[in-house]
Amino acid sequence: MTYCVGMLLDKGMAFMSDTRTNSGVDNISTFRKMFSWSVPGERFITMMTAGNLATTQALISQLEERTKAPSERKPSILEAPTMFQVANIIGTTLRDTIAARALTGPVAASPAPNFNASVIVGGQIAGMEPRLYLIYPEGNFIEASPETPFFQIGETKYGRPILVRGFESHMSFADITKLLMVSFDSTLKANLSVGLPLDLMLYRNDDFAPFHERRITADDPYFEKISDSWSEALRNAFHSLPDYELDA
Amino acid sequence: MTYCVGMLLDKGMAFMSDTRTNSGVDNISTFRKMFSWSVPGERFITMMTAGNLATTQALISQLEERTKAPSERKPSILEAPTMFQVANIIGTTLRDTIAARALTGPVAASPAPNFNASVIVGGQIAGMEPRLYLIYPEGNFIEASPETPFFQIGETKYGRPILVRGFESHMSFADITKLLMVSFDSTLKANLSVGLPLDLMLYRNDDFAPFHERRITADDPYFEKISDSWSEALRNAFHSLPDYELDA
């Protein structure tokens, strides 16, 4: 599994992903799930992937190849005129990648092998607003809006309650980072298939490059501090709630 | 979906379940998922069910019939000598119920209809310790222990982080009730398939009857207060954490 969160903020965007991939519990590896491209002064694109690793690696390779070979006829995400077009290119490539594998795979396998993957992509192109999309395995996608300002993919449920209660789009980047760490810590504590290190990327509007990028490892002092003090803070929060009165 | 939690405490046991069942999002009903039997001074059994409603209703009906017809040859949960035997009877009945439906159903349906269900059962028989079991659709089961003192079934993920961090087996019944309400509130806020009212049952060791039983409806003042103040308390907890220092 995987856990990735992308957020659309007033001041920019925030992305965080874990790096654990597993096929069963005894085949665990670390793979980067966050990829970004940037053209100084012109565009910035970050994407995060969840799902079948062969699918997501093939997807990234195809997108990379396209960005590296400008003579290629098909449209590239570095040439697309809008973020909508970028999402469209990624969605189509993702759908085709999954379809290609499904045809190759053993048809009668039971249960059917799952080549699915999903993607969060966010970015900004000069002269336009930043955009954040969630792309489904079918290739279609939805866009973040003030009502739904963040997307999660992968093992999303454990870390959702704190995001639902804590997220506000006007938060500072420091607070957003803290919120993401709490959400990831809750997930790590509950699910073995999501693991450290984490990748963090923060983007400020109209910068066309991330202004903060960091890999958070197991011995990261801030993450350790958050993880420890969150238990304590949660307990205090819990005890601050009104007591239940038992009639017996 | 469903959300049920059963807990083994130093002082007794606690059970909470929601009451929403749905088949799609436009076919929503309210059904009780918590059932209990008690023989004054001799035994107390509570069970909660998650999964296919037809399966769980058939399971309860069969268990009820058995308790009502003492001449019936098969063992009854009110006659079983130990809680282990009670769990065994429920597990076998559950497995047979699912198997009977699977044979009747359309074999070629795709995706295969899911008749699965799982059960949490807790109770005490005079002269023995209270026991808490989680029963799988296959009929096998596991028992709660000091290392794993609570079980969840149904939509378990949203409400798990607070249980993992907050639960202690020496907590008072009032604190346990508060903890359960926070866990259920986090789930209700995130998932439409879990819904009010909630059923609460508290059992004190060697009572052989619940000492507190309550249906928590949408206008329950305590639940409303918890739900409102938890948002505030979480925000305060969040702000009490050390700040992330951005180098930019």
Side-chain angles (χ1 to χ4, degrees):
Chain A
M1 259 301 202
T2 287
Y3 183 38
C4 302
V5 181
M7 293 172 161
L8 193 62
L9 311 170
D10 292 350
K11 300 180 188 68
M13 290 184 288
F15 305 89
M16 197 180 254
S17 64
D18 83 318
T19 51
R20 181 163 294 177
T21 67
N22 70 308
S23 174
V25 288
D26 53 0
N27 189 357
I28 296 176
S29 323
T30 299
F31 281 98
R32 194 172 176 84
K33 300 170 189 174
M34 185 189 287
F35 306 88
S36 81
W37 296 265
S38 119
V39 179
E42 200 271 325
R43 77 176 58 201
F44 162 76
I45 300 168
T46 287
M47 76 186 251
M48 295 179 296
T49 58
N52 184 293
L53 183 64
T55 296
T56 59
Q57 288 195 341
L59 170 67
I60 297 295
S61 298
Q62 285 176 81
L63 293 172
E64 282 281 0
E65 259 185 7
R66 288 180 187 182
T67 61
K68 280 175 189 162
S71 63
E72 178 99 33
R73 263 177 238 146
K74 285 188 190 166
S76 146
I77 56 170
L78 292 188
E79 287 163 9
T82 62
M83 278 305 297
F84 179 88
Q85 290 294 340
V86 169
N88 212 1
I89 292 169
I90 298 172
T92 309
T93 312
L94 174 62
R95 187 198 60 203
D96 292 349
T97 306
I98 296 169
R101 263 136 202 83
L103 290 171
T104 315
V107 192
S110 170
N114 187 351
F115 300 114
N116 278 359
S118 50
V119 169
I120 291 174
V121 59
Q124 186 181 15
I125 296 178
M128 286 171 275
E129 294 290 302
R131 306 275 182 191
L132 182 71
Y133 297 95
L134 169 61
I135 304 178
Y136 298 104
E138 291 79 8
N140 59 346
F141 49 88
I142 58 174
E143 184 181 349
S145 63
E147 297 84 28
T148 306
F150 63 85
F151 290 130
Q152 304 168 283
I153 51 176
E155 191 57 65
T156 61
K157 295 184 179 186
Y158 301 108
R160 189 168 177 81
I162 183 64
L163 294 184
V164 168
R165 304 254 189 173
F167 179 86
E168 285 171 290
S169 58
H170 60 74
M171 284 170 112
S172 70
F173 283 111
D175 275 355
I176 281 293
T177 302
K178 203 199 296 189
L179 185 66
L180 284 168
M181 294 218 180
V182 171
S183 177
F184 272 76
D185 182 54
S186 297
T187 309
L188 292 167
K189 281 262 188 311
N191 193 295
L192 282 181
S193 74
V194 177
L196 290 163
L198 310 175
D199 286 315
L200 166 68
M201 188 179 283
L202 301 175
Y203 174 78
R204 200 184 281 122
N205 290 343
D206 305 320
D207 270 5
F208 304 106
F211 80 95
H212 186 75
E213 226 181 319
R214 172 109 165 269
R215 174 154 283 201
I216 296 140
T217 52
D219 56 0
D220 184 278
Y222 181 71
F223 187 75
E224 260 180 33
K225 223 190 312 179
I226 287 289
S227 183
D228 293 345
S229 30
W230 184 238
S231 296
E232 183 65 24
L234 260 192
R235 255 193 296 274
N236 293 341
F238 176 72
H239 287 298
S240 77
L241 294 180
D243 282 331
Y244 184 68
E245 276 173 40
L246 280 167
D247 41 39
Chain B
M1 258 304 201
T2 288
Y3 183 38
C4 301
V5 181
M7 290 171 164
L8 193 63
L9 311 171
D10 293 350
K11 302 179 184 71
M13 289 183 287
F15 304 91
M16 196 179 253
S17 64
D18 82 317
T19 52
R20 180 161 294 175
T21 67
N22 70 306
S23 175
V25 289
D26 53 359
N27 189 358
I28 296 176
S29 322
T30 300
F31 281 97
R32 195 172 175 82
K33 300 170 190 173
M34 186 189 286
F35 306 88
S36 80
W37 296 265
S38 118
V39 180
E42 201 271 323
R43 77 176 59 201
F44 163 75
I45 300 168
T46 288
M47 73 187 252
M48 297 180 293
T49 58
N52 184 294
L53 183 64
T55 296
T56 60
Q57 287 194 342
L59 171 68
I60 298 295
S61 297
Q62 285 175 82
L63 294 172
E64 282 281 359
E65 256 185 10
R66 288 179 187 184
T67 61
K68 278 173 188 161
S71 63
E72 176 99 36
R73 266 178 234 147
K74 287 188 190 164
S76 144
I77 57 170
L78 292 188
E79 287 164 9
T82 61
M83 278 304 299
F84 179 87
Q85 292 294 340
V86 169
N88 212 1
I89 294 169
I90 297 172
T92 309
T93 314
L94 175 61
R95 188 197 58 200
D96 293 350
T97 307
I98 295 169
R101 265 140 200 82
L103 291 170
T104 316
V107 192
S110 170
N114 187 351
F115 299 113
N116 279 0
S118 49
V119 169
I120 291 174
V121 60
Q124 187 180 16
I125 296 177
M128 284 170 275
E129 295 288 304
R131 304 274 183 192
L132 182 70
Y133 297 95
L134 169 61
I135 304 177
Y136 297 105
E138 291 78 7
N140 58 348
F141 48 86
I142 58 173
E143 184 180 352
S145 65
E147 295 84 27
T148 306
F150 64 84
F151 291 131
Q152 304 167 283
I153 50 176
E155 189 58 64
T156 61
K157 296 184 179 184
Y158 301 108
R160 189 167 178 83
I162 183 65
L163 295 183
V164 168
R165 305 254 188 171
F167 179 87
E168 285 170 291
S169 58
H170 61 74
M171 283 169 113
S172 70
F173 283 112
D175 274 355
I176 281 292
T177 304
K178 205 201 290 193
L179 186 65
L180 285 168
M181 292 219 182
V182 171
S183 177
F184 272 77
D185 181 55
S186 296
T187 309
L188 291 166
K189 280 264 188 310
N191 194 295
L192 282 179
S193 74
V194 177
L196 291 162
L198 309 176
D199 286 317
L200 167 69
M201 186 178 284
L202 301 176
Y203 173 78
R204 200 185 280 122
N205 289 342
D206 306 320
D207 270 6
F208 304 107
F211 81 94
H212 185 76
E213 227 182 317
R214 169 110 167 270
R215 175 153 284 202
I216 295 139
T217 52
D219 55 359
D220 185 276
Y222 181 70
F223 187 75
E224 259 180 34
K225 223 188 314 177
I226 287 289
S227 182
D228 292 345
S229 27
W230 184 239
S231 295
E232 183 66 24
L234 260 193
R235 254 192 297 272
N236 293 341
F238 176 72
H239 287 298
S240 78
L241 295 180
D243 283 329
Y244 184 69
E245 275 173 42
L246 279 168
D247 40 38

